[in-house]
Amino acid sequence: MSKTTTGAPADATPDEQDLGAAGSQLSTAPKEELPNLPSLGVIGWARWFWRQLTSMRVALLLLLLLSLGAIPGSLIPQSGTDETKVADFRSANPTLGDVYDKLGLFHVYSSVWFSAIYILLFISLIGCIVPRTWQFVGQLRGRPPGAPRRMTRLPAYTTWRTEAEPEQVREAALALLKKRRFRAHLAGDAVAAEKGYLREVGNLAFHIALIVLLTAFAWGQLFKMEGNKLVVEGDGFSNTITQYDDFKSGNLFSQDSLDPFSFVLDDFTGTYEPSGPSKGTPRVYRATVDYSVGAYGKDRKTTIEPNGPLDIGDSKVYLTAHGYAPVITVRDGKGNVVYSQAVPLLPLDSNVTSSGAIKVMDGYRNAKGVKEQLGFQAFFLPTYGGANSAVVSQFPALNNPVLNLEAYHGDLGVDAGIPQSVYQLDKTHLKEFKNSKGTQLRENLKPGETMQLPNGAGSVTYEGTKEWANFQITRQPGSGWALGGSVTAIFGLAGSLFIQRRRVWVRAVKGDDGVTVVEMAGLGRSESAKVPEELGDLAGILYDQAPGAPGDTGAEPDGVSDSDAASAEGAEN
Amino acid sequence: MTLAAATNENLANLSNTLIYSAMAVYTLAFFAYIAEWTFGGRSKIARTAAALTSEKAAKAPAVTVKKGGSTAVLERPKVVVRAAAGARDVPDGPGAHGGDAQGDLYGRIAVSLTVLAFLIQLGGVIARAASVERAPWGNMYEFNITFSTVAVGVYLTLLALKKNVRWLGLFLITTVLLDLGIAVTVLYTASDQLVPALHSYWLYIHVSTAILCGAVFYVGAVSTILYLFKDSYENKLQSGGRPGQFATSFLERLPASSTLDKFSYRVNAAVFPLWTFTIIAGAIWAGDAWGRYWGWDPKETWAFITWVAYACYLHARATAGWKGRKAAYLALIAFGCWLFNYYGVNIFVSGKHSYAGV
Ligand code: HEM
């Protein structure tokens, strides 16, 4: 039915001219204009460009481009999600990596070209919505167009002759249509009515909601923050930038918007499938925390699970990882405790084989009384499989924990001012402790066991194991708007797809023989079985109020036969 | 504890037995559909050619009559329905049985067998769910068996609503058999609990609507493909060509191309809002699980691409005047995106969604 929406072009057939006015403005879809050469001058060009941008053809093209443009980002590693994969890819394919770099293919969704597509789409969308909204308001103010001259040309048509007066019929029709919630009015010898404006409302609401959604998303990107903090059982965290292990934020984020809160990790629980093919698969992760909001807030207890973040103000606290932290006590040769701490280790595999480093920075003096630093390379298996199994953990829970320590002394290199990973030892200025055989001192410890350092250098004790949890704290403003936008989008979309906008006309005039002829016709925005059905319904009711003249069987225009009637019903589906 | 484990084991085995039985019954249904098509081929019908080549149809567009009102009183006025100007007016084919009584009988047998297989398969899915004490979509095996159950359910629902869709049967059952075959051989995973990140009621909402959308999109895609065949058949006839005998026999029995086109548009348009909702539900779940509601994870990206592709299709039809074949190609591309998201992303691309096991 596209022809009915474009008005009556000059070369229209009589058929279309008949429908022209009646079918006009049944939708707010913009007219497609043939691209004609722009008149000279900047303004001419600008207008031409604007028309092109807001045309449906270009909107469609931009939509297609947007989906095509999203593809590479799903196939090529993205620096936003996985930095290490990007590095791997670069080292494996250096030349291709450079090309990708130039094209922004490692960060597609923030690349110039991807942004260009959606910003153009965005502008096109606005350029489309604004005129359509005005047009729609105009349609609401105006009245449905009058009946076309030859109503037989409309997609659904019926007629009969009645003894009732034409005015009577028109009044009855007007009342009936109004009762059926059509917008109806009398125009000349016919009643014109229209229904289904909600379709347009829904369509506009949907497109506006898309803008709200996109704006909220962009807003969220600009003002968001995201940080990580590893907390050992018994330790706490308070929400200031300095406490974070790492911290990322959007360009417009300011520190003042950090929500004031703090919490202490009471306990972490992890349970795992004990047997079967997926032995070791995690079942429950639960962090129990005491938290308080504001500087002097009351302490409250709650649990955080992978799908159940803690909401505080605009911030959300997620549980993202966990591991083990052996409690280590280091004594010097005289038996003084110089170090006593739970040391978080990083998991290496799904059975939580972990590694890390213990750094005793100050307070230690060696057997000769000279200040020195101690370093231990730690390797930890929560479930040790025994002497003749591979040196990896057999199960993620603490079933048979074993801590393997390698001992060094000397200079840890932490005072040089260069930031250092807490999980790795810089061995450049460290010397190995030797065991009695003269090789590297290295021992497996069970909880409670102690490793003696040679020549009265002291001892290390593995006291027990705590667990740690990693929390991700995020703040993403605008998510409420994004949600509101998406819900509106769904309802708008449903309205725009399921509501049918249609017009009905009822004409009643005295025929040459003095008998009133009633004509009814219906026109929908698109071809639909519902329009004739509804027309039949309305005609039935009106017919009862203005019954057929005697001997009238209902006109059958244009050589309609009853066999067609049967086939039409058979095909109805 | 061990007792519970044993019951679960039994339920899991029961589920497997039911799935295999359903496959057996689907196979029987498949042969019954084949029989329907074969016997239907005996009848010689050439209505399309008649409609397209007769003088009257070429000149005057459709004028058919329908009795007005639901309480059809005979004297009431009749509504005349006129097809849009320029639209081809071709009657719908009679269906696979082609009006042949024996074909029709086989068709009915096929539908009955499909219902039976559907019930058995549904039992299998429920037993699987009971054995793991959660919704049956924790991995691709479960996703597959649920998906084909829902697809058949959609088909049977349309049949129950008296829609003229029996012609879909053969194509649907063929792919259901393929889907189940892949599920039990390549994708099989012993029944198992969910990893913690999958514990969320949003999972139930998101995945169940995703499966339903996929099933409906699938039905739309099948009719789009058939539309393309039928349309070129009608084009050929209209331009005086003579299609081959097999094509004639086969395509004559399908609904008219305009009917197929309308059917696939309706089906796709009807689920598009639900697909939109599915993506939003996924975003909400991602917000709870991973701390961001949208992160361009491959699965998310492809859901978005699929969504945009279907939006293109709807736009093309609604406003850009790309009706017919061009729009149909867009619809197929969109369904291709959906398929890739369903299989391709799990198999070829790794992302946060892949931890549920292939
Ligand atoms: C951001 C991307 C967009 C999406 C996802 C989108 C989606 C949709 C959908 C699903 C429909 C309903 C189709 C139907 O009625 O069958 C629609 C209709 C429409 N859209 Fe868009 N759209 C987008 C951008 C645009 C743009 C940029 C324009 C203008 C240039 C536009 C103008 C229209 C018009 C005029 C209609 C039809 C109105 C009618 O049927 O009366 N859309 N859109």
Side-chain angles (χ1 to χ4, degrees):
Chain A
M1 285 265 111
S2 64
K3 286 183 184 113
T4 63
T5 61
T6 51
D11 61 344
T13 60
D15 220 37
E16 282 157 350
Q17 270 173 359
D18 279 343
L19 287 186
S24 72
Q25 298 208 318
L26 197 45
S27 122
T28 55
K31 292 178 195 166
E32 263 321 91
E33 290 162 42
L34 289 175
N36 46 3
L37 277 179
S39 52
L40 283 175
V42 178
I43 296 182
W45 274 106
R47 193 175 287 159
W48 178 81
F49 181 72
W50 177 250
R51 264 208 213 118
Q52 290 301 306
L53 185 59
T54 54
S55 75
M56 290 309 304
R57 212 185 307 260
V58 173
L60 192 60
L61 195 72
L62 287 171
L63 264 179
L64 274 172
L65 275 179
L66 189 70
S67 55
L68 281 181
I71 294 176
S74 70
L75 305 176
I76 297 169
Q78 297 292 294
S79 52
T81 21
D82 202 338
E83 199 75 67
T84 48
K85 257 198 204 152
V86 176
D88 288 353
F89 185 90
R90 274 212 184 94
S91 56
N93 320 283
T95 10
L96 200 56
D98 284 348
V99 176
Y100 281 8
D101 249 341
K102 286 236 165 59
L103 296 175
L105 287 178
F106 290 122
H107 56 100
V108 167
Y109 306 109
S110 54
S111 71
V112 177
W113 54 271
F114 193 76
S115 315
I117 298 175
Y118 72 71
I119 289 172
L120 280 179
L121 189 60
F122 197 81
I123 297 171
S124 170
L125 198 53
I126 294 172
C128 189
I129 288 173
V130 173
R132 285 177 61 204
T133 310
W134 289 131
Q135 202 190 341
F136 183 57
V137 170
Q139 288 175 17
L140 283 183
R141 285 229 197 97
R143 292 170 140 190
R149 239 172 337 114
R150 295 178 60 196
M151 291 189 6
T152 49
R153 291 289 171 208
L154 288 167
Y157 174 80
T158 185
T159 182
W160 72 94
R161 285 145 53 85
T162 174
E163 282 173 338
E165 289 301 309
E167 294 80 30
Q168 231 179 317
V169 176
R170 288 193 290 250
E171 247 161 60
L174 192 64
L176 169 65
L177 286 165
K178 284 202 163 146
K179 201 171 137 218
R180 290 288 188 98
R181 311 194 38 167
F182 275 81
R183 282 182 71 210
H185 70 113
L186 205 62
D189 55 5
V191 175
E194 182 167 357
K195 194 177 172 177
Y197 291 86
L198 266 182
R199 177 195 178 96
E200 232 63 46
V201 175
N203 196 277
L204 289 172
F206 170 71
H207 285 85
I208 293 171
L210 282 186
I211 296 193
V212 172
L213 190 63
L214 281 170
T215 314
F217 188 68
W219 184 271
Q221 294 296 311
L222 286 175
F223 288 95
K224 75 168 179 195
M225 64 131 276
E226 180 185 313
N228 280 289
K229 176 67 183 175
L230 185 153
V231 184
V232 177
E233 283 171 330
D235 288 352
F237 167 79
S238 77
N239 193 19
T240 55
I241 274 195
T242 48
Q243 287 233 353
Y244 281 98
D245 299 333
D246 65 71
F247 189 85
K248 276 195 293 201
S249 62
N251 292 340
L252 298 179
F253 173 81
S254 105
Q255 284 199 31
D256 305 336
S257 44
L258 281 177
D259 291 297
F261 66 86
S262 59
F263 65 83
V264 172
L265 174 61
D266 269 352
D267 180 40
F268 180 88
T269 318
T271 64
Y272 307 88
E273 188 69 33
S275 59
S278 51
K279 180 179 169 190
T281 311
R283 291 296 161 234
V284 177
Y285 286 146
R286 184 180 298 128
T288 311
V289 297
D290 279 325
Y291 73 100
S292 66
V293 182
Y296 306 102
K298 236 183 28 212
D299 260 13
R300 272 172 286 190
K301 207 176 198 69
T302 188
T303 58
I304 305 179
E305 291 185 42
N307 273 308
L310 169 63
D311 286 290
I312 304 177
D314 280 345
S315 304
K316 287 187 169 197
V317 183
Y318 296 90
L319 175 64
T320 55
H322 83 106
Y324 295 106
V327 181
I328 305 291
T329 305
V330 181
R331 294 184 171 81
D332 63 15
K334 298 198 184 97
N336 297 326
V337 174
V338 294
Y339 181 95
S340 177
Q341 214 167 302
V343 184
L345 304 179
L346 281 188
L348 301 174
D349 61 22
S350 57
N351 280 333
V352 208
T353 307
S354 313
S355 80
I358 301 161
K359 301 181 184 184
V360 182
M361 304 202 203
D362 28 48
Y364 173 77
R365 281 167 195 277
N366 65 14
K368 297 187 193 112
V370 179
K371 260 195 174 167
E372 223 183 1
Q373 290 178 322
L374 295 180
F376 302 89
Q377 187 80 54
F379 193 73
F380 179 73
L381 310 178
T383 300
Y384 178 52
N388 40 15
S389 71
V391 200
V392 286
S393 175
Q394 306 296 311
F395 194 75
L398 278 182
N399 289 352
N400 180 21
V402 164
L403 179 67
N404 179 282
L405 290 178
E406 252 174 46
Y408 297 88
H409 62 108
D411 180 3
L412 289 167
V414 284
D415 307 323
I418 304 161
Q420 216 184 45
S421 164
V422 293
Y423 304 104
Q424 270 164 0
L425 276 188
D426 175 3
K427 294 182 195 149
T428 31
H429 303 289
L430 287 177
K431 280 183 289 207
E432 299 171 351
F433 277 114
K434 305 281 188 203
N435 60 15
S436 50
K437 291 181 205 127
T439 55
Q440 162 78 62
L441 176 65
R442 174 186 185 136
E443 271 179 36
N444 279 349
L445 301 180
K446 293 192 175 226
E449 288 184 348
T450 300
M451 169 166 89
Q452 294 297 334
L453 299 178
N455 311 322
S459 67
V460 200
T461 310
Y462 169 28
E463 311 276 2
T465 324
K466 287 186 174 179
E467 295 194 54
W468 58 259
N470 189 70
F471 294 98
Q472 186 185 49
I473 293 117
T474 63
R475 185 168 183 279
Q476 196 162 25
S479 37
W481 282 94
L483 186 63
S486 18
V487 172
T488 314
I490 293 179
F491 283 105
L493 192 59
S496 118
L497 288 172
F498 302 144
I499 297 174
Q500 167 80 241
R501 191 164 166 199
R502 67 266 189 204
R503 290 180 180 156
V504 169
W505 292 277
V506 185
R507 172 175 283 142
V509 285
K510 273 259 189 303
D512 298 335
D513 55 358
V515 181
T516 306
V517 177
V518 184
E519 282 185 296
M520 288 181 77
L523 172 66
R525 217 190 69 100
S526 57
E527 216 179 320
S528 153
K530 292 233 177 68
V531 172
E533 256 166 43
E534 189 181 41
L535 192 76
D537 241 18
L538 291 168
I541 296 171
L542 204 58
Y543 185 80
D544 290 343
Q545 294 171 15
D552 179 68
T553 52
E556 292 191 351
D558 294 357
V560 176
S561 68
D562 275 319
S563 64
D564 277 345
S567 79
E569 278 190 319
E572 195 59 53
N573 61 54
Chain B
M1 179 69 208
T2 44
L3 199 65
T7 13
N8 288 355
E9 194 93 343
N10 286 342
L11 277 168
N13 289 338
L14 173 67
S15 164
N16 293 349
T17 313
L18 285 172
I19 295 291
Y20 277 103
S21 317
M23 283 176 73
V25 182
Y26 277 129
T27 313
L28 292 178
F30 173 78
F31 285 121
Y33 281 115
I34 294 271
E36 182 190 14
W37 279 95
T38 317
F39 281 109
R42 290 197 302 212
S43 74
K44 290 279 172 279
I45 23 157
R47 311 172 177 212
T48 313
L52 284 173
T53 43
S54 86
E55 281 295 300
K56 173 185 158 243
K59 273 206 200 111
V63 176
T64 46
V65 163
K66 192 175 171 299
K67 290 195 188 73
S70 41
T71 52
V73 183
L74 265 184
E75 310 90 62
R76 278 190 175 181
K78 292 167 181 171
V79 173
V80 180
V81 183
R82 173 187 293 275
R88 221 175 0 222
D89 183 45
V90 172
D92 286 337
H97 54 79
D100 182 88
Q102 209 166 349
D104 186 46
L105 178 66
Y106 275 109
R108 286 168 194 281
I109 292 176
V111 172
S112 316
L113 286 172
T114 309
V115 172
L116 179 63
F118 170 73
L119 293 176
I120 297 175
Q121 196 189 1
L122 189 66
V125 171
I126 291 173
R128 175 81 180 193
S131 81
V132 289
E133 293 164 20
R134 59 170 168 76
W137 44 61
N139 50 50
M140 272 193 68
Y141 169 72
E142 293 171 5
F143 203 61
N144 263 36
I145 59 172
T146 311
F147 173 72
S148 47
T149 313
V150 174
V152 176
V154 168
Y155 169 66
L156 293 177
T157 308
L158 287 174
L159 276 180
L161 293 174
K162 303 249 183 301
K163 305 280 179 202
N164 166 24
V165 290
R166 209 167 91 191
W167 43 270
L168 266 173
L170 178 61
F171 312 100
L172 185 74
I173 298 310
T174 310
T175 38
V176 163
L177 279 172
L178 266 176
D179 172 89
L180 286 177
I182 295 175
V184 297
T185 50
V186 184
L187 301 172
Y188 185 76
T189 323
S191 77
D192 187 7
Q193 307 274 301
L194 282 182
V195 297
L198 289 179
H199 285 299
S200 164
Y201 60 91
W202 282 108
L203 168 77
Y204 289 71
I205 298 170
H206 171 67
V207 183
S208 61
T209 53
I211 292 176
L212 183 58
C213 287
V216 180
F217 279 144
Y218 173 63
V219 170
V222 171
S223 74
T224 307
I225 294 176
L226 293 178
Y227 156 76
L228 286 172
F229 280 114
K230 183 84 190 225
D231 183 58
S232 44
Y233 170 71
E234 288 174 8
N235 280 340
K236 200 164 183 182
L237 277 179
Q238 203 165 23
S239 59
R242 279 172 152 264
Q245 202 176 357
F246 178 73
T248 308
S249 162
F250 177 70
L251 292 168
E252 268 300 333
R253 287 180 268 160
L254 290 177
S257 69
S258 62
T259 309
L260 286 170
D261 185 40
K262 232 181 283 172
F263 177 72
S264 43
Y265 171 71
R266 289 211 183 118
V267 161
N268 285 332
V271 281
F272 187 71
L274 190 65
W275 179 241
T276 312
F277 171 77
T278 302
I279 296 179
I280 292 166
I284 294 175
W285 176 32
D288 279 355
W290 302 324
R292 84 285 183 294
Y293 54 85
W294 194 265
W296 297 109
D297 176 77
K299 203 93 179 171
E300 290 170 353
T301 307
W302 278 94
F304 171 77
I305 294 171
T306 309
W307 184 76
V308 174
Y310 274 107
C312 280
Y313 164 69
L314 293 179
H315 260 181
R317 290 195 52 126
T319 60
W322 269 29
K323 307 240 156 135
R325 301 188 72 90
K326 275 204 234 168
Y329 291 132
L330 275 181
L332 289 184
I333 291 175
F335 185 68
C337 294
W338 193 88
L339 266 191
F340 183 77
N341 198 17
Y342 176 24
Y343 287 109
V345 171
N346 285 36
I347 295 167
F348 304 121
V349 190
S350 72
K352 285 205 170 199
H353 276 80
S354 50
Y355 58 157
V358 163

